[in-house]
Amino acid sequence: MSALTLSTATLSRAGGRDANEDAAAHRDGCWVIADGLGGHPGGEVAARIAVDRVLGALAGAPLPSGAALAQAIADAHRAIQEHQARDPRLERMRTTLVLLVSDGERARWAHVGDSRLYHFRGGRLRFQTADHSVPQALARAGEIRPDEIRFHEDRNRLLRTLGNEGEARPTVLETPVAMESGDAFLLCTDGFWEYVTEGEMEVLLAKSASADDWLAALAARLLARAAPDHDNYTATAVFAA
């Protein structure tokens, strides 16, 4: 099988906030998004450290193993903790993280927190990551429906982030997915997926000829219903052809 061609579109906006504490970057088969927490400038610093460390460790290599993804995230986690120790003003900074790696034939991903990855095949949602959050835990226990996670009163209570005490504990896809032409991936922060449902993602994907078109349509849907003071929002779309 020959490698597929992967095209990318990314947007990152402050939304209704004064500063954008999200970070996003991609290079050589690695895509990373982080949503900084802990207040400006702490969240912004944590997100940038995480993205830079992970991208530096994984970009350009043959498809990294699950262990390599976990190690890159652990290294980013320790780098944030070390920065906290050097600067007490940033001791509360944290960040979520979601990443995708691909060699054009296979894909693997990992995440910490509630920034998500969605994988679409044949225009339909095939997989989405499960948040490390209180509402996700409630949904898993059957106490709320999965569609109630979006606006649950405890949605911002995260169970795992980079910069917390202890280990990072990412969720990593150990067995890579064999990619097919037409596959699409969406990586995004909660400020993005909060306002766009999975069904809408599918509908807009079917109407989009490119990653740029899809991302623009998704962002338009977000802005049509977001409150004036809505959160930062960041997303990356990846198309395989």
Side-chain angles (χ1 to χ4, degrees):
M1 173 183 172
S2 59
L4 298 168
T5 299
L6 306 179
S7 58
T8 302
T10 296
L11 64 82
S12 186
R13 304 285 186 270
R17 306 294 171 83
D18 292 333
N20 187 358
E21 297 182 81
D22 294 349
H26 63 91
R27 186 174 73 242
D28 299 334
C30 182
W31 298 259
V32 192
I33 282 179
D35 179 359
L37 314 168
H40 184 72
E44 180 181 357
V45 172
R48 179 46 56 190
I49 290 173
V51 168
D52 288 348
R53 286 298 183 111
V54 169
L55 200 64
L58 301 176
L63 187 76
S65 66
L69 266 61
Q71 185 61 57
I73 293 172
D75 290 346
H77 179 58
R78 283 192 293 271
I80 293 169
Q81 291 174 325
E82 291 167 0
H83 207 99
Q84 291 167 336
R86 291 195 301 269
D87 189 345
R89 296 172 300 172
L90 303 178
E91 64 181 358
R92 294 175 59 84
M93 71 177 181
R94 307 283 191 272
T95 188
T96 70
L97 182 128
V98 61
L99 70 93
L100 168 70
V101 292
S102 176
D103 59 3
E105 299 180 3
R106 299 164 298 160
R108 180 179 272 123
W109 50 79
H111 80 288
V112 177
D114 64 353
S115 289
R116 294 181 176 179
L117 177 141
Y118 296 91
H119 176 206
F120 299 82
R121 175 164 291 170
R124 303 304 298 271
L125 178 63
R126 182 179 185 188
F127 174 87
Q128 74 179 70
T129 53
D131 306 334
H132 300 133
S133 69
V134 168
Q136 183 74 67
L138 293 174
R140 186 178 292 113
E143 297 184 29
I144 65 172
R145 299 189 311 273
D147 62 359
E148 293 180 295
I149 291 174
R150 269 184 171 79
F151 297 105
H152 193 276
E153 60 183 357
D154 291 325
R155 193 175 63 76
N156 291 325
R157 291 181 60 191
L158 301 183
L159 302 177
R160 304 183 197 178
T161 60
L162 301 187
N164 274 351
E165 294 182 3
E167 301 300 318
R169 299 188 298 143
T171 296
V172 179
L173 181 70
E174 294 294 343
T175 302
V177 170
M179 296 178 64
E180 297 181 5
S181 181
D183 278 4
F185 297 90
L186 179 69
L187 292 76
C188 56
T189 61
D190 67 322
F192 194 93
W193 60 254
E194 176 179 15
Y195 293 106
V196 188
T197 68
E198 288 74 31
E200 290 169 330
M201 293 174 189
E202 290 181 341
V203 169
L204 295 173
L205 175 59
K207 298 178 179 179
S208 301
S210 68
D212 287 288
D213 290 347
W214 189 34
L215 208 53
L218 293 169
R221 185 63 56 93
L222 180 160
L223 292 172
R225 58 175 57 132
D229 62 346
H230 66 109
D231 197 4
N232 308 153
Y233 60 97
T234 297
T236 292
V238 181
F239 273 26

